[in-house]
Amino acid sequence: MNNKLKSILISACALSATLSINAHSNSVFIDDITIFDSTGAAPFISDVLIENGRFVAIEPQLKAPDNAVMINGNGLSLVAGLTDVHTHWTSSRAEVATAMLTHGVTTVTDFHSSPDSYAPKREWHTKLISPHVIYAARIAPPGGHGADWADERMTRLVASTEEAKSVVAYLDDFKPDMIKVFADGWRYGRSKEDTNISPDALAEIVTQSALRGLPVVTHTVTVDGGMLAAKAGVSAIVHAIQDEPTHAVLPKLMADNNVYYAPTLAVYEIRPDRVARYSDKQIKAAQLRQTYSQQNFRSFLNAGVHLALGTDSGIGNTPFGESSVHEMELMVDFGATAKQALIAGTRGGAEALGLADDRGTIATGKRADFVIVDGKPWENISDYRKLKSVFIDGKQVVADNKLTSEQGAEIPPAIIATENIDDFEAMEGKTQYGTLRKTNIDYGFPRSQILTLVKPATSSSNKVLSVSIALENKKNPKAGVLFPLSQGSFYPVDASNFKGVSFAINAKPSTYTVTLDSYAGKSSVDVNISASGWQTITIPFNHFVKQGKLDIGLLKSISIDVTGKPEETFWIELDDVKFTP
């Protein structure tokens, strides 16, 4: 650099103070920094100019704008931020966002949100210091892995091409960013099950998603499942193929069809804390899966299959952020070079999600999501841990492993409750709160069956909810109806101006459980219906003492359930679910 007013340049360790002073500047100028651009080219030293969140010039001997934030990059390296293509947000949005950013993850998927929660979560993230979040709609075959939790509004079920068309069309209203299909039903070491998705249905999901510009990734852990996914032309397989050594056909098919491979090695790592409760048989089975996983990883790598980074963070005590960096280290342990692992974590993830035109490499016109590190992670992948700063859209968000400003709240602000929750007179399927009414059934397979129908009441022109339940032949089968108090039960609702809840019910005589769910926890009360016939049940809040903690100012939902004997059937009619003054 010649005559660029070096006296006003600052060292990277002082970035946060300078950026706060220059918070209104839309330009960042980085001088003499080593760039690894993730294109496969060799690292090079250059100046970098960022304006309005984009790289606008990457050349030696650039002239800095007068109002730019100035950064001395001498001795440091600039690398694209990581993209994690497989994450479950099982903790608070603020907690996960912070963990991701402080480990250099700038784009991350969310595989753990129901479609009706996308809009409020997108809105809330504008108030957080956050990576870019890519919301995945979940699809599974009936009885398949992924369909064993929550109701069908969480994971849509598809068994045919006709259902594939209608389900993807149904998702249009929620504007997902991608589709995740639980294509492979194998459950890690248990006997294989005939719960793979239909090849025709998966192909139609891919076709319909392509029309909408949505990438499709699959939960796939077997060689046969890999063939199913690769033939359908999915964007990526986001789990390790680990049931047996692959044959030569699968790697070639994946390479030919440009199917990316994100093996989530972090979630399968045989860590002491994870296997402490395993039996010797379980440990041996896990070790065998890891052996197959490593063999297959090398087969895919040698065949030219593109890698992406995915961790399954949020599942199996796999920590957010830390696992994303560790995933690249595990790739190196499994046979990749540091350069290959780093490209997988940056360009590979962006390409797998169809975002490569916008991010993932360091190039003019691209989004300025990047990290500055004190090392050379393309030579030693663990150098990615030596983060000096993290930038999102050209703004510094992390300095020396800490956020540059205070993170947003762990819990969104509460909405003030209104009296009527659901009188079943509103739009089909929605409560008076404008939320999607849901079923609440037991976890795992086989599952209890429930059918709900809004119908006219027999004694008036009002409508009521008719519920038919067939409990499964399993221990403690359960089924019922859940009323979210906000979209996706995300924003809490403050019902402290009320004294309790009430509802009208006509049901088969039995004991029913009413549960209030809040951000502090759940609490329930049992209601005994001794005879059929309409009656109004009123429950003061202070009666909800059966389990857990409850915060009336942070409510999420109310549910009415029944637990009975295996294969027992129930009928319920409900009306006028409300808060009581």
Side-chain angles (χ1 to χ4, degrees):
M1 167 183 169
N2 295 323
N3 300 321
K4 290 188 179 176
L5 302 176
K6 286 188 177 181
S7 61
I8 68 170
L9 292 176
I10 60 171
S11 63
C13 64
L15 283 176
S16 65
T18 299
L19 285 179
S20 63
I21 293 171
N22 295 280
H24 299 295
S25 174
N26 289 321
S27 299
V28 177
F29 187 87
I30 307 174
D31 178 66
D32 291 337
I33 196 163
T34 300
I35 298 174
F36 181 81
D37 64 10
S38 290
T39 66
F44 58 95
I45 296 175
S46 182
D47 298 341
V48 178
L49 177 60
I50 299 162
E51 292 183 345
N52 299 316
R54 298 273 170 178
F55 294 108
V56 296
I58 303 172
E59 300 175 24
Q61 308 300 317
L62 286 174
K63 181 179 179 180
D66 292 339
N67 65 339
V69 174
M70 307 292 288
I71 300 172
N72 183 359
N74 187 36
L76 302 174
S77 300
L78 187 152
V79 182
L82 301 181
T83 293
D84 193 323
V85 303
H86 190 160
T87 303
H88 296 262
W89 290 59
T90 51
S91 298
S92 83
R93 313 300 292 185
E95 179 183 341
V96 176
T98 299
M100 289 296 181
L101 289 176
T102 53
H103 288 85
V105 183
T106 55
T107 296
V108 57
T109 56
D110 180 353
F111 285 5
H112 216 73
S113 290
S114 59
D116 56 323
S117 74
Y118 297 164
K121 287 176 179 176
R122 284 174 174 136
E123 193 274 339
W124 178 238
H125 271 268
T126 65
K127 298 174 175 62
L128 299 178
I129 305 171
S130 174
H132 303 289
V133 184
I134 308 300
Y135 292 91
R138 299 158 50 108
I139 295 176
H145 181 59
D148 49 6
W149 166 63
D151 76 341
E152 194 181 342
R153 295 196 187 278
M154 179 71 190
T155 306
R156 303 296 298 186
L157 304 183
V158 167
S160 67
T161 57
E162 291 79 7
E163 287 178 328
K165 291 177 182 178
S166 63
V167 163
V168 177
Y170 163 84
L171 292 169
D172 284 342
D173 286 344
F174 304 101
K175 297 180 173 57
D177 300 305
M178 62 183 296
I179 304 293
K180 177 187 179 180
V181 182
F182 294 85
D184 191 331
W186 187 52
R187 286 165 171 78
Y188 314 115
R190 303 178 191 176
S191 298
K192 292 189 179 181
E193 303 173 10
D194 188 19
T195 54
N196 286 3
I197 197 165
S198 152
D200 290 340
L202 181 57
E204 189 62 35
I205 291 170
V206 172
T207 296
Q208 293 298 319
S209 299
L211 293 174
R212 294 160 170 84
L214 301 177
V216 177
V217 304
T218 55
H219 172 109
T220 304
V221 294
T222 67
V223 173
D224 289 345
M227 290 293 295
L228 171 69
K231 286 179 180 178
V234 303
S235 303
I237 291 171
V238 293
H239 267 303
I241 304 294
Q242 54 186 276
D243 65 322
E244 60 185 350
T246 184
H247 43 65
V249 177
L250 176 57
K252 185 177 187 305
L253 185 62
M254 289 172 65
D256 290 347
N257 288 356
N258 201 33
V259 177
Y260 281 71
Y261 186 55
T264 58
L265 305 178
V267 77
Y268 298 124
E269 187 178 18
I270 305 176
R271 305 192 318 257
D273 65 309
R274 177 172 290 143
V275 302
R277 64 183 184 279
Y278 282 16
S279 66
D280 289 343
K281 182 178 180 180
Q282 289 174 315
I283 291 175
K284 289 180 180 178
Q287 290 171 336
L288 182 60
R289 292 195 298 271
Q290 285 295 77
T291 298
Y292 293 150
S293 177
Q294 183 168 16
Q295 291 176 6
N296 293 337
F297 180 89
R298 291 176 175 174
S299 295
F300 297 142
L301 197 62
N302 292 337
V305 174
H306 295 302
L307 300 178
L309 184 156
T311 57
D312 212 6
S313 292
I315 301 297
N317 297 319
T318 306
F320 300 103
E322 158 63 28
S323 296
S324 302
V325 180
H326 191 46
E327 182 76 13
M328 296 189 296
E329 294 171 331
L330 291 172
M331 286 183 182
V332 172
D333 290 344
F334 270 43
T337 65
K339 182 178 179 181
Q340 288 172 322
L342 186 56
I343 290 176
T346 53
R347 188 184 79 192
E351 289 178 338
L353 298 181
L355 301 172
D357 289 342
D358 183 66
R359 68 196 76 170
T361 56
I362 308 302
T364 57
K366 293 290 183 72
R367 187 183 296 273
D369 294 347
F370 64 94
V371 301
I372 295 176
V373 300
D374 187 9
K376 299 178 179 180
W378 56 90
E379 294 179 357
N380 177 9
I381 194 61
S382 293
D383 276 2
Y384 198 91
R385 296 181 177 278
K386 299 177 180 180
L387 288 176
K388 302 301 294 184
S389 55
V390 179
F391 286 72
I392 294 281
D393 293 330
K395 300 292 185 183
Q396 190 191 23
V397 294
V398 173
D400 293 326
N401 301 311
K402 295 181 180 180
L403 295 181
T404 55
S405 57
E406 186 176 353
Q407 181 59 283
E410 293 288 311
I411 300 173
I415 301 167
I416 301 301
T418 55
E419 182 175 356
N420 292 326
I421 298 172
D422 202 344
D423 62 8
F424 312 103
E425 306 295 330
M427 184 183 303
E428 182 70 24
K430 290 191 176 182
T431 70
Q432 263 59 51
Y433 275 64
T435 63
L436 288 171
R437 196 178 304 123
K438 300 183 179 183
T439 58
N440 194 35
I441 52 179
D442 38 41
Y443 177 84
F445 292 115
R447 305 191 77 181
S448 296
Q449 301 296 312
I450 182 169
L451 176 65
T452 64
L453 176 68
V454 174
K455 67 176 188 179
T458 55
S459 59
S460 71
S461 60
N462 292 339
K463 295 178 180 178
V464 300
L465 182 69
S466 175
V467 184
S468 299
I469 292 172
L471 295 181
E472 187 48 72
N473 188 1
K474 64 193 296 186
K475 185 177 181 181
N476 299 321
K478 182 189 81 168
V481 184
L482 185 144
F483 305 92
L485 297 176
S486 66
Q487 296 291 345
S489 298
F490 179 62
Y491 275 87
V493 167
D494 182 356
S496 57
N497 288 332
F498 296 92
K499 295 180 180 179
V501 297
S502 69
F503 52 89
I505 185 170
N506 176 27
K508 174 183 176 180
S510 187
T511 298
Y512 295 84
T513 301
V514 182
T515 301
L516 290 176
D517 186 11
S518 75
Y519 270 94
K522 295 181 179 181
S523 189
S524 302
V525 62
D526 288 337
V527 174
N528 183 44
I529 304 297
S530 58
S532 59
W534 281 101
Q535 56 186 298
T536 297
I537 304 295
T538 300
I539 310 170
F541 286 139
N542 59 13
H543 286 198
F544 286 87
V545 295
K546 183 180 176 183
Q547 64 184 43
K549 296 180 179 179
L550 181 66
D551 189 333
I552 300 303
L554 297 173
L555 292 178
K556 298 167 69 175
S557 66
I558 177 173
S559 60
I560 302 171
D561 309 304
V562 63
T563 300
K565 299 176 182 177
E567 299 187 3
E568 191 173 3
T569 61
F570 292 87
W571 59 268
I572 308 169
E573 290 182 321
L574 290 170
D575 200 3
D576 295 329
V577 182
K578 62 177 64 178
F579 290 115
T580 54

